[in-house]
C-alpha cells in the first residue's frame, strides 16, 4: 500500500533457522525504508473543466474514491506546472514532440493555457481503457471530454496532497524505567511440542485457567513453559478450538459452566503455580449499559475465581478485564473485587496495560496480579496484622517493561495488490466474500454519522480495538474496515487477520465452518452463505473476547518472577530462571510469529545488527 512512512523506535535482528538468535535493540536510521516514487497516469484538463471532468471520471469509475487504497487523500488534483521539475519537463516536452508546422501554429496564449492545466490522477486500468484503440465502453460525455483540445493523458509524479497528515509517532513503551540493562536475546518461537509437553518433568510451572475462551492464556503460558492442570469454558465451540491449539489436554479435564464445577475438581492445594482468567467483561464494558454486579449471571462471576483460589491456593494469579471496571460506581466495584481477592490471602496489584507495543492494535485492559501471602491465616484480626507485615511484599510487584515494536496494520492485513489491473471484481477471490455490498457502502456514506474513510485500516495506522461486536451493524460504521484497491469496496477483517491482530501465532488453528459444532447456532442450515456469515460472526466474537497473547507472555513472566522463591521449577536450574527476561524475550518472539511472512523482511530491514 502507498504512503507507508518510515518510523523510529526499537529494533532487533531476526535470524531465521532453528535455534538462531535474535539480537539486541537499536535505534534504526531513517533511510532504511526510504520511499520510492513512481509516475502515475494523469489526465490533464483546462482549469475551467476540472470539476466537470472529475465528476465524469467518478461516474465511469476511472478515479479512486476515498475508501480505495489509491484514494486515501481524495482526488489529489494538482497543477503539474507547480510541482516537480521532472513534471514541468514532461508536460513542456509535449510541444517539442509536435511537428514544426504544429508548433508554429501554437499561440503564446495557448502555451500559457496549457501551462495552467490541472492534473487528475487516474487508475492505471482507467488509463489503459482510455488509451486503448476502442473506446466504445466509455460514456459519450467522457469521449467528448477526451476530444477537447488541451485534454490528454501523461505520466507524472503525483505530489503528496497537502491534506495528508504528517505521520505521528507515539512511543507505546510501557515502564521504560524498567528497561533491562542487558538487551534481550530472542529466539524463534515454535509451537510447543505435544510429545514433550505431556511429560510433566519438562514443565517449568503449572497453571489453571477459568473462562478460557479460545485459549489466549493457554497458548501464551505453554510458550512460556507451562503445563495446564485445569480449564473451564461454558462455550462448546471455544472448548473445541482451545483443545485444538493447546499441546496437551488439561490434567484435570476441560470443564464447562464454572458454577457446576465442584471444588473437588480443582487442582489440589499448593499444586498450581498460576491461576489465570479473563472473566466476562460485558457487565463492565463501556459498549453496553454497564449493569456491573446487578447482572446476576455475569456480573458476579469473579466470585468463582475467589472460590477457585480458596480451593487450590495457587501461588499467584493474573486476571484480565476491561478498563471500564475501574470506573464502575465511582471505583467501588473494583475495590469490592480487590477486597474479595485479598480476603482469601493474596496481595493484589492492579494496572491498566495496553497491548499496542506488542500488537498492531490499541487495546487497553485492566489486569489484576496477586501473590499468595506466605503466612496467610484465617482469623480476621491475625490476617490484618499479617497484612501489615506483608505490606512491603504487597507493593513489591511492578508491572514489567514492554517495548514498542511499532507494528502497524500493514504487518497483519493482506491488502489488495494495486499492481494487478482489475476491471471487475473476481468472485473467486476469497476476500470478496468479506467485502461490503453496494447497499452497505451507500448506508455508510449517506446515513452513518460515525463513519469516515479516515477510520479505515490504512497501512500505516495502529488498528482500533477489536471487540466481540465486530462485524455487527456494519452500515452504522461500528466496525473498522480494510480499504480495497479500486474499484473494490472495503471489506471486513478475515478471521486470520483478527488472530494476527490479537497476537496469535501463525500456527494457531482456526476451524473451518463445518468443523465447529457441525451446524450453525445449534440448527442445521442449507444456505451456505447464511452458514458462512454465522460462522464468521462466531469467530469475530471469540477473537474479540480473547486476550492479546504476547502481552500475556510478558505479564506472566513478571508474575512468575515474584514466585521464584516458592519453587516454580522442578530442579535447581529452573529456580534460577530470570522469568521477567524470559517473558520479554518470548513475548517479542511471539509477536513476530503473528505477523505476515512477507512482512518479516521489511521488519528486519528496519533493524541493525548489534556491534
Amino acid at each position: 500500500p502507498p504512503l507507508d512512512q518510515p518510523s523510529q523506535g526499537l529494533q532487533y535482528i531476526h535470524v531465521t533457522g532453528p535455534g538462531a538468535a535474535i539480537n539486541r535493540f537499536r535505534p534504526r536510521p531513517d533511510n532504511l525504508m526510504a520511499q520510492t516514487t513512481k509516475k502515475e497516469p494523469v489526465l490533464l484538463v483546462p482549469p475551467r473543466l476540472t470539476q466537470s471532468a472529475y465528476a465524469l471520471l467518478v461516474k465511469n469509475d476511472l478515479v479512486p474514491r476515498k475508501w480505495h487504497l489509491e484514494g486515501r487523500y481524495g482526488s489529489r488534483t494538482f497543477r503539474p506546472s507547480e510541482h516537480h521539475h521532472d513534471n514541468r519537463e514532461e508536460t513542456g516536452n509535449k510541444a517539442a514532440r509536435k511537428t514544426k508546422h504544429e508548433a508554429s501554429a501554437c499561440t503564446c496564449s495557448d502555451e500559457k493555457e496549457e501551462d495552467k492545466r490541472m492534473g487528475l490522477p487516474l487508475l492505471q486500468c482507467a488509463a489503459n481503457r482510455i488509451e486503448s484503440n476502442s473506446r466504445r465502453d466509455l460514456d459519450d460525455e467522457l469521449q467528448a471530454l477526451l476530444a477537447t483540445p488541451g485534454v490528454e493523458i501523461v505520466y507524472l509524479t503525483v505530489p503528496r496532497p497537502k491534506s495528508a497528515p504528517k505521520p505521528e509517532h507515539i512511543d507505546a513503551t510501557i515502564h521504560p524505567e524498567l528497561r533491562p540493562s542487558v538487551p534481550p536475546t530472542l529466539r524463534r518461537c515454535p509451537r510447543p511440542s505435544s510429545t514433550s509437553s505431556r511429560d510433566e518433568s519438562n514443565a517449568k510451572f503449572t497453571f489453571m485457567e477459568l473462562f478460557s475462551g479460545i485459549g489466549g492464556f493457554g497458548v501464551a503460558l505453554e510458550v512460556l513453559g507451562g503445563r495446564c492442570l485445569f480449564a473451564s469454558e461454558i462455550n462448546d465451540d471455544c472448548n473445541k478450538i482451545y483443545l485444538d491449539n493447546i499441546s496437551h489436554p488439561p490434567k484435570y479435564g476441560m470443564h464447562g459452566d464454572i458454577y457446576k464445577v465442584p471444588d473437588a475438581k480443582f487442582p489440589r492445594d499448593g499444586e498450581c503455580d498460576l491461576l489465570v482468567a479473563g472473566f466476562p467483561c460485558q457487565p463492565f464494558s463501556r459498549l453496553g449499559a454497564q449493569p456491573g454486579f446487578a447482572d446476576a449471571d455475569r456480573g458476579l462471576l469473579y466470585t468463582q475465581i475467589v472460590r477457585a483460589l480458596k480451593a487450590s491456593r495457587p501461588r499467584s494469579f493474573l486476571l484480565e478485564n476491561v478498563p471500564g471496571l475501574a470506573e464502575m460506581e465511582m471505583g467501588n466495584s473494583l475495590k469490592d473485587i480487590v477486597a474479595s481477592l485479598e480476603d482469601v490471602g493474596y496481595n493484589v496489584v492492579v494496572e491498566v496495560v495496553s497491548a499496542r507495543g506488542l500488537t498492531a492494535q490499541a487495546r487497553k485492559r485492566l489486569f489484576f496480579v496477586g501473590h499468595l501471602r506466605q503466612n496467610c491465616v484465617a482469623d480476621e484480626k491475625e490476617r490484618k496484622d499479617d497484612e501489615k507485615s506483608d505490606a512491603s511484599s504487597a507493593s513489591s510487584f511492578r508491572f514489567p517493561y514492554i517495548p514498542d515494536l511499532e507494528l502497524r496494520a500493514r504487518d497483519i492485513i493482506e491488502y489488495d495488490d494495486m499492481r494487478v489491473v482489475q476491471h471487475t471484481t473476481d468472485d473467486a477471490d476469497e476476500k470478496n466474500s468479506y467485502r461490503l455490498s453496494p447497499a452497505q457502502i451507500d448506508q455508510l456514506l449517506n446515513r452513518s454519522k460515525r463513519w469516515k474513510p479516515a477510520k479505515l485500516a490504512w497501512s500505516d495506522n495502529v488498528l482500533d480495538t477489536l471487540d466481540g461486536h465486530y462485524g455487527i451493524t456494519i452500515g452504522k460504521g461500528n466496525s473498522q474496515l480494510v480499504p480495497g484497491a479500486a474499484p473494490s469496496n472495503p471489506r471486513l477483517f478475515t478471521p486470520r487477520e483478527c488472530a494476527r491482530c490479537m497476537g496469535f501465532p501463525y500456527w494457531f488453528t482456526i476451524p473451518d465452518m463445518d468443523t465447529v459444532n457441525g451446524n450453525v447456532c445449534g440448527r442445521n442450515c442449507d444456505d451456505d452463505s447464511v452458514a458462512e456469515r454465522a460462522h464468521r460472526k462466531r469467530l469475530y466474537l471469540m477473537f474479540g473476547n480473547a486476550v492479546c497473547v504476547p502481552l500475556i507472555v510478558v505479564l506472566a513472566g513478571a508474575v512468575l518472577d515474584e514466585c521464584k522463591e516458592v519453587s516454580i521449577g522442578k530442579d535447581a536450574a529452573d529456580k534460577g530462571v530470570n522469568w521477567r527476561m524470559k517473558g520479554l524475550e518470548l513475548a517479542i518472539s511471539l509477536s513476530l510469529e503473528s505477523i505476515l511472512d512477507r512482512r518479516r523482511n521489511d521488519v528486519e530491514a528496519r533493524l541493525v545488527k548489534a556491534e
Side-chain angles (χ1 to χ4, degrees):
L3 300 175
D4 286 343
Q5 299 297 320
S7 55
Q8 295 291 325
L10 297 176
Q11 51 195 331
Y12 45 87
I13 299 304
H14 177 74
V15 183
T16 58
I22 308 173
N23 221 348
R24 308 190 180 224
F25 291 96
R26 292 266 178 180
R28 57 185 165 79
D30 285 334
N31 59 1
L32 286 179
M33 291 184 65
Q35 287 184 293
T36 58
T37 59
K38 63 177 182 178
K39 295 186 182 299
E40 302 179 40
V42 176
L43 182 69
L44 296 180
V45 299
R48 68 182 186 280
L49 298 179
T50 303
Q51 187 172 354
S52 59
Y54 184 73
L56 280 175
L57 295 176
V58 169
K59 179 181 177 181
N60 287 269
D61 293 327
L62 301 180
V63 291
R65 308 303 300 276
K66 286 187 177 182
W67 54 89
H68 294 140
L69 286 169
E70 305 93 333
R72 179 177 184 179
Y73 302 114
S75 67
R76 295 190 296 161
T77 302
F78 70 107
R79 194 184 299 276
S81 61
E82 297 178 356
H83 296 275
H84 304 304
H85 179 70
D86 292 341
N87 284 350
R88 289 197 294 270
E89 288 184 349
E90 182 79 21
T91 55
N93 286 340
K94 285 292 181 179
R97 287 196 290 268
K98 297 179 181 180
T99 64
K100 294 181 179 180
H101 175 73
E102 291 173 328
S104 62
C106 290
T107 65
C108 182
S109 61
D110 290 337
E111 292 177 355
K112 290 182 179 180
E113 181 68 20
E114 182 172 291
D115 189 58
K116 294 179 180 179
R117 286 184 299 177
M118 302 299 293
L120 304 177
L122 302 172
L123 295 171
Q124 181 60 59
C125 59
N128 293 345
R129 287 173 60 191
I130 294 174
E131 293 177 330
S132 64
N133 294 329
S134 175
R135 296 182 177 179
R136 297 174 184 175
D137 61 330
L138 298 182
D139 184 277
D140 291 340
E141 292 180 282
L142 181 59
Q143 294 194 47
L145 172 67
L146 296 174
T148 303
V151 175
E152 61 181 332
I153 294 178
V154 296
Y155 283 78
L156 304 175
T157 300
V158 179
R160 183 179 175 88
K162 295 180 180 179
S163 61
K166 295 181 179 179
E168 182 182 14
H169 174 68
I170 299 177
D171 188 359
T173 302
I174 296 175
H175 291 301
E177 73 280 5
L178 299 180
R179 186 194 307 266
S181 57
V182 179
T185 299
L186 311 178
R187 298 184 182 277
R188 290 301 299 265
C189 193
R191 183 172 188 166
S193 170
S194 59
T195 303
S196 61
S197 296
R198 290 179 187 275
D199 184 358
E200 292 191 21
S201 64
N202 291 324
K204 307 303 180 184
F205 65 94
T206 56
F207 67 93
M208 58 187 293
E209 185 170 3
L210 276 62
F211 317 111
S212 55
I214 57 176
F217 275 107
V219 170
L221 296 179
E222 281 203 331
V223 166
L224 197 56
R227 168 75 162 90
C228 184
L229 300 178
F230 172 95
S232 172
E233 168 56 49
I234 196 171
N235 186 293
D236 290 337
D237 291 345
C238 287
N239 287 338
K240 292 180 180 180
I241 298 176
Y242 183 97
L243 293 174
D244 283 343
N245 285 283
I246 201 165
S247 64
H248 58 83
K251 181 178 179 180
Y252 295 115
M254 187 82 197
H255 299 269
D257 187 350
I258 190 62
Y259 282 113
K260 299 179 181 178
V261 178
D263 290 359
K265 295 291 185 179
F266 292 133
R268 297 185 301 272
D269 186 343
E271 185 180 8
C272 180
D273 295 314
L274 177 65
L275 179 148
V276 293
F279 57 107
C281 63
Q282 290 85 352
F284 314 107
S285 174
R286 297 189 187 98
L287 296 177
Q290 289 187 302
F293 296 154
D295 185 339
D297 291 332
R298 297 175 297 182
L300 298 176
L301 281 169
Y302 78 93
T303 60
Q304 300 306 300
I305 298 176
V306 174
R307 180 168 69 94
L309 291 172
K310 290 175 65 177
S312 296
R313 291 177 60 78
R315 296 180 177 89
S316 58
F317 64 74
L318 175 63
L319 313 179
E320 180 257 12
N321 210 285
V322 292
L325 173 57
E327 302 171 2
M328 290 289 298
E329 299 180 357
M330 305 295 291
N332 290 327
S333 296
L334 177 61
K335 292 178 182 178
D336 290 344
I337 293 176
V338 171
S340 298
L341 298 171
E342 290 176 338
D343 285 345
V344 291
Y346 289 84
N347 295 320
V348 183
V349 181
V350 181
E351 186 171 308
V352 174
V353 183
S354 175
R356 179 171 177 172
L358 296 173
T359 66
Q361 68 166 319
R363 187 184 188 88
K364 292 182 179 180
R365 286 298 181 264
L366 183 69
F367 286 93
F368 300 73
V369 169
H371 288 92
L372 185 65
R373 290 192 293 270
Q374 298 182 35
N375 299 308
C376 179
V377 292
D379 181 77
E380 180 66 17
K381 182 178 183 303
E382 292 182 5
R383 184 183 68 81
K384 290 182 178 180
D385 292 339
D386 188 64
E387 284 179 351
K388 294 179 181 179
S389 64
D390 279 338
S392 60
S393 62
S395 59
S396 64
F397 178 79
R398 298 191 65 182
F399 279 79
Y401 160 75
I402 301 175
D404 183 6
L405 304 186
E406 297 186 14
L407 298 181
R408 297 293 184 266
R410 58 175 169 259
D411 297 309
I412 68 169
I413 299 293
E414 298 185 75
Y415 292 96
D416 297 337
D417 188 348
M418 294 186 295
R419 296 170 298 180
V420 178
V421 179
Q422 295 179 333
H423 295 288
T424 60
T425 301
D426 183 3
D427 292 334
D429 182 1
E430 179 185 0
K431 288 185 291 188
N432 285 332
S433 65
Y434 296 88
R435 296 195 191 281
L436 271 60
S437 66
Q440 289 172 318
I441 281 289
D442 179 72
Q443 185 176 1
L444 282 177
L445 294 175
N446 301 316
R447 285 180 282 173
S448 174
K449 296 181 180 179
R450 300 182 56 185
W451 187 82
K452 294 181 180 179
K455 294 184 64 176
L456 293 168
W458 298 107
S459 61
D460 55 353
N461 282 2
V462 174
L463 297 175
D464 294 344
T465 300
L466 183 69
D467 59 51
H469 299 283
Y470 186 78
I472 299 176
T473 61
I474 301 171
K476 293 184 178 180
N478 296 327
S479 299
Q480 190 171 30
L481 304 171
V482 179
S488 299
N489 286 338
R491 64 170 177 84
L492 292 165
F493 295 166
T494 66
R496 177 56 65 183
E497 288 168 341
C498 290
R500 297 188 191 114
C501 186
M502 299 300 294
F504 282 88
Y506 71 91
W507 39 259
F508 186 83
T509 302
I510 301 175
D512 295 328
M513 179 177 62
D514 57 354
T515 60
V516 176
N517 235 12
N519 56 54
V520 179
C521 299
R523 66 182 188 278
N524 293 324
C525 184
D526 296 329
D527 190 330
D528 288 343
S529 62
V530 173
E532 176 61 30
R533 287 196 296 271
H535 173 64
R536 187 185 304 165
K537 181 179 177 181
R538 290 203 304 275
L539 291 176
Y540 288 150
L541 175 64
M542 294 174 188
F543 281 115
N545 288 335
V547 293
C548 290
V549 182
L551 183 60
I552 297 303
V553 174
V554 69
L555 292 178
V559 174
L560 293 173
D561 200 59
E562 295 295 315
C563 300
K564 56 189 175 185
E565 295 181 358
V566 285
S567 177
I568 290 291
K570 303 298 184 289
D571 53 45
D574 291 335
K575 294 179 183 179
V577 172
N578 184 338
W579 286 100
R580 279 186 180 259
M581 181 62 76
K582 183 175 182 179
L584 175 61
E585 293 174 349
L586 290 174
I588 301 171
S589 298
L590 201 57
S591 292
L592 287 178
E593 302 296 348
S594 69
I595 66 175
L596 290 165
D597 283 342
R598 63 172 177 268
R599 286 295 303 166
R600 283 184 176 273
N601 290 335
D602 295 310
V603 171
E604 291 165 12
R606 304 202 301 252
L607 316 177
V608 294
K609 294 182 178 180
E611 297 178 359

